Amino acid sequence: MSIAENLREIEEKLTCAAQKSGRKRSDILLLAVSKTIDVPHIKQAVELGCRELGENRVQEILEKYDQIPGVEWHLIGHLQTNKVKYIVDKVKLIHSVDSLKLGEEISKRCEKADRTMDILVEVNMAGEESKSGVAPEDAKALCRELSKLDRLCIKGLMTVAPYDPIPENNRVYFKKMKRLFDEIKAEDLPNTDMQHLSMGMTNDYEVAVEEGADIVRIGTGIFGARDYSK
Ligand SMILES: *Cc1c(COP(=O)(O)O)cnc(C)c1O
């Protein structure tokens, strides 16, 4: 399957899932996850309309940044505090803030760069040991602390659901995320503008959108299987 065909299929499914949740396709951002993908293939996707790209490693954003102009970058993977300084002037949204320490470092670097940074708080909904993200029961407390940092704007929540061959099994996590999102939104915290629920990947994005996701992060579904050998 070509990238164009893959994108057509995703567009149809997104349209359908958006309708099921009372929304339109245009209410959902398709974030193309370009990790491990080479520049020519990413450019194909960009030409087909993918103008926002997600990477999970700082180094990979830095390598691709100048080669792919006219796009916006999202950092979606675990971020080490010592790497924040390299991307603070390059990314539109950091999806993976899961500690106050990381929030403070982003805030400090933003102060120097004289900007503010939009962030999502990453929640480990299923409590998987291998995954980063704050525990669901600690998410509100973390948001309250992060909301004291003037250089950050909390834009919502992000989760990476478990891989499950039956995507329907993740519906419970997406529902809980939406509830948590609504509760935090209702707190009306400073430096907070709860707009985005980043959840759903190739395997489960339709279920995620049905439950309220407005950003889906899709890699394999667009570019095909990743090759980590290179
Ligand atoms: C790799 C990755 C994705 C995309 O995964 P696919 O299953 O290839 O769609 C989404 N989110 C994060 C955080 C990732 O690291």
Side-chain angles (χ1 to χ4, degrees), residues 2-8 11 25 30 41-51 222-223:
S2 69
I3 291 174
E5 284 169 320
N6 289 341
L7 281 170
R8 260 196 302 277
E11 284 300 327
R25 165 65 189 93
L30 167 58
H41 285 96
I42 300 172
K43 281 188 168 168
Q44 276 185 41
V46 172
E47 269 155 34
L48 290 161
C50 298
R51 294 287 146 79
I222 297 173
F223 298 105

Short mmCIF file of all heavy atoms in Angstrom, two decimals, residues 2-8 11 25 30 41-51 222-223:
data_model
loop_
_atom_site.label_atom_id
_atom_site.label_comp_id
_atom_site.label_asym_id
_atom_site.label_seq_id
_atom_site.Cartn_x
_atom_site.Cartn_y
_atom_site.Cartn_z
N SER A 2 0.48 2.24 -0.76
CA SER A 2 1.24 3.49 -0.80
C SER A 2 0.81 4.41 0.34
O SER A 2 -0.25 4.22 0.94
CB SER A 2 1.01 4.19 -2.12
OG SER A 2 -0.33 4.65 -2.17
N ILE A 3 1.64 5.42 0.61
CA ILE A 3 1.29 6.39 1.64
C ILE A 3 -0.04 7.06 1.29
O ILE A 3 -0.89 7.28 2.15
CB ILE A 3 2.44 7.42 1.79
CG1 ILE A 3 3.67 6.72 2.41
CG2 ILE A 3 2.02 8.61 2.64
CD1 ILE A 3 4.92 7.58 2.48
N ALA A 4 -0.23 7.35 0.00
CA ALA A 4 -1.48 8.00 -0.42
C ALA A 4 -2.69 7.12 -0.12
O ALA A 4 -3.71 7.59 0.39
CB ALA A 4 -1.41 8.33 -1.91
N GLU A 5 -2.56 5.82 -0.44
CA GLU A 5 -3.68 4.91 -0.16
C GLU A 5 -3.92 4.78 1.34
O GLU A 5 -5.06 4.76 1.80
CB GLU A 5 -3.38 3.52 -0.76
CG GLU A 5 -3.56 3.47 -2.26
CD GLU A 5 -3.01 2.18 -2.85
OE1 GLU A 5 -1.93 1.72 -2.41
OE2 GLU A 5 -3.64 1.63 -3.75
N ASN A 6 -2.83 4.67 2.09
CA ASN A 6 -2.97 4.57 3.54
C ASN A 6 -3.71 5.79 4.10
O ASN A 6 -4.59 5.65 4.94
CB ASN A 6 -1.58 4.48 4.19
CG ASN A 6 -0.90 3.15 3.93
OD1 ASN A 6 -1.55 2.18 3.57
ND2 ASN A 6 0.41 3.11 4.11
N LEU A 7 -3.33 6.95 3.61
CA LEU A 7 -3.95 8.17 4.12
C LEU A 7 -5.43 8.24 3.75
O LEU A 7 -6.26 8.68 4.55
CB LEU A 7 -3.21 9.41 3.61
CG LEU A 7 -1.90 9.73 4.36
CD1 LEU A 7 -1.13 10.83 3.64
CD2 LEU A 7 -2.18 10.15 5.81
N ARG A 8 -5.75 7.78 2.55
CA ARG A 8 -7.17 7.77 2.15
C ARG A 8 -8.00 6.90 3.10
O ARG A 8 -9.09 7.28 3.53
CB ARG A 8 -7.32 7.26 0.71
CG ARG A 8 -7.51 8.38 -0.30
CD ARG A 8 -8.04 7.88 -1.63
NE ARG A 8 -7.18 6.89 -2.26
CZ ARG A 8 -6.10 7.18 -2.99
NH1 ARG A 8 -5.76 8.43 -3.19
NH2 ARG A 8 -5.36 6.22 -3.52
N GLU A 11 -8.36 8.63 6.44
CA GLU A 11 -9.32 9.74 6.34
C GLU A 11 -10.76 9.23 6.45
O GLU A 11 -11.59 9.82 7.16
CB GLU A 11 -9.16 10.48 5.01
CG GLU A 11 -7.96 11.41 4.96
CD GLU A 11 -8.00 12.50 6.03
OE1 GLU A 11 -9.10 12.96 6.38
OE2 GLU A 11 -6.92 12.85 6.54
N ARG A 25 -14.65 15.56 10.81
CA ARG A 25 -13.26 15.20 10.54
C ARG A 25 -12.32 16.37 10.87
O ARG A 25 -11.23 16.17 11.41
CB ARG A 25 -13.12 14.79 9.07
CG ARG A 25 -11.70 14.72 8.53
CD ARG A 25 -10.87 13.64 9.22
NE ARG A 25 -9.46 13.71 8.85
CZ ARG A 25 -8.53 14.37 9.53
NH1 ARG A 25 -8.84 15.04 10.63
NH2 ARG A 25 -7.29 14.36 9.12
N LEU A 30 -4.79 14.78 12.66
CA LEU A 30 -4.02 13.57 12.37
C LEU A 30 -2.55 13.94 12.46
O LEU A 30 -2.02 14.66 11.61
CB LEU A 30 -4.36 13.06 10.96
CG LEU A 30 -3.43 11.98 10.40
CD1 LEU A 30 -3.37 10.75 11.28
CD2 LEU A 30 -3.85 11.60 8.97
N HIS A 41 10.27 9.83 2.36
CA HIS A 41 8.93 9.31 2.66
C HIS A 41 8.12 10.29 3.50
O HIS A 41 6.92 10.46 3.28
CB HIS A 41 9.03 7.95 3.36
CG HIS A 41 9.40 6.83 2.45
ND1 HIS A 41 10.69 6.38 2.31
CD2 HIS A 41 8.64 6.09 1.59
CE1 HIS A 41 10.71 5.40 1.41
NE2 HIS A 41 9.49 5.21 0.96
N ILE A 42 8.79 10.95 4.43
CA ILE A 42 8.06 11.95 5.22
C ILE A 42 7.57 13.07 4.30
O ILE A 42 6.42 13.52 4.41
CB ILE A 42 8.95 12.54 6.34
CG1 ILE A 42 9.41 11.43 7.29
CG2 ILE A 42 8.19 13.62 7.11
CD1 ILE A 42 10.45 11.89 8.31
N LYS A 43 8.41 13.47 3.36
CA LYS A 43 8.02 14.55 2.43
C LYS A 43 6.80 14.16 1.60
O LYS A 43 5.96 15.01 1.29
CB LYS A 43 9.18 14.94 1.52
CG LYS A 43 10.18 15.83 2.24
CD LYS A 43 11.22 16.37 1.27
CE LYS A 43 12.04 17.49 1.94
NZ LYS A 43 13.23 17.84 1.16
N GLN A 44 6.72 12.88 1.23
CA GLN A 44 5.52 12.42 0.51
C GLN A 44 4.27 12.67 1.34
O GLN A 44 3.27 13.17 0.84
CB GLN A 44 5.61 10.91 0.26
CG GLN A 44 6.38 10.49 -0.97
CD GLN A 44 6.27 8.97 -1.15
OE1 GLN A 44 5.21 8.38 -0.97
NE2 GLN A 44 7.38 8.35 -1.50
N ALA A 45 4.36 12.29 2.61
CA ALA A 45 3.19 12.48 3.49
C ALA A 45 2.88 13.96 3.66
O ALA A 45 1.71 14.36 3.67
CB ALA A 45 3.45 11.82 4.85
N VAL A 46 3.92 14.78 3.76
CA VAL A 46 3.71 16.22 3.92
C VAL A 46 2.98 16.77 2.69
O VAL A 46 2.02 17.54 2.80
CB VAL A 46 5.06 16.96 4.14
CG1 VAL A 46 4.86 18.48 4.11
CG2 VAL A 46 5.69 16.53 5.46
N GLU A 47 3.43 16.33 1.51
CA GLU A 47 2.78 16.80 0.27
C GLU A 47 1.34 16.35 0.18
O GLU A 47 0.51 17.01 -0.44
CB GLU A 47 3.58 16.34 -0.95
CG GLU A 47 4.61 17.37 -1.36
CD GLU A 47 5.78 16.78 -2.13
OE1 GLU A 47 5.56 15.81 -2.89
OE2 GLU A 47 6.91 17.26 -1.94
N LEU A 48 1.03 15.24 0.81
CA LEU A 48 -0.35 14.74 0.81
C LEU A 48 -1.18 15.37 1.94
O LEU A 48 -2.31 14.96 2.18
CB LEU A 48 -0.34 13.21 0.94
CG LEU A 48 0.18 12.47 -0.30
CD1 LEU A 48 0.59 11.05 0.05
CD2 LEU A 48 -0.89 12.46 -1.40
N GLY A 49 -0.60 16.32 2.65
CA GLY A 49 -1.39 17.09 3.61
C GLY A 49 -1.02 16.93 5.07
O GLY A 49 -1.62 17.58 5.93
N CYS A 50 -0.05 16.07 5.39
CA CYS A 50 0.35 15.91 6.79
C CYS A 50 1.31 17.04 7.15
O CYS A 50 2.50 16.96 6.86
CB CYS A 50 1.02 14.56 7.02
SG CYS A 50 -0.05 13.16 6.67
N ARG A 51 0.81 18.06 7.78
CA ARG A 51 1.64 19.24 8.07
C ARG A 51 2.12 19.28 9.51
O ARG A 51 2.82 20.19 9.91
CB ARG A 51 0.84 20.52 7.76
CG ARG A 51 0.54 20.69 6.29
CD ARG A 51 1.81 21.07 5.52
NE ARG A 51 1.82 20.50 4.18
CZ ARG A 51 1.16 20.99 3.14
NH1 ARG A 51 0.46 22.08 3.27
NH2 ARG A 51 1.20 20.39 1.97
N ILE A 222 0.33 5.02 8.39
CA ILE A 222 0.65 5.91 7.27
C ILE A 222 1.84 5.37 6.47
O ILE A 222 1.80 5.25 5.25
CB ILE A 222 0.98 7.34 7.75
CG1 ILE A 222 -0.24 7.98 8.44
CG2 ILE A 222 1.45 8.22 6.57
CD1 ILE A 222 0.04 9.34 9.09
N PHE A 223 2.92 5.06 7.21
CA PHE A 223 4.20 4.77 6.55
C PHE A 223 4.49 3.27 6.40
O PHE A 223 5.48 2.89 5.78
CB PHE A 223 5.34 5.41 7.35
CG PHE A 223 5.26 6.92 7.43
CD1 PHE A 223 4.86 7.56 8.59
CD2 PHE A 223 5.59 7.69 6.31
CE1 PHE A 223 4.80 8.95 8.65
CE2 PHE A 223 5.54 9.08 6.37
CZ PHE A 223 5.13 9.71 7.53
#
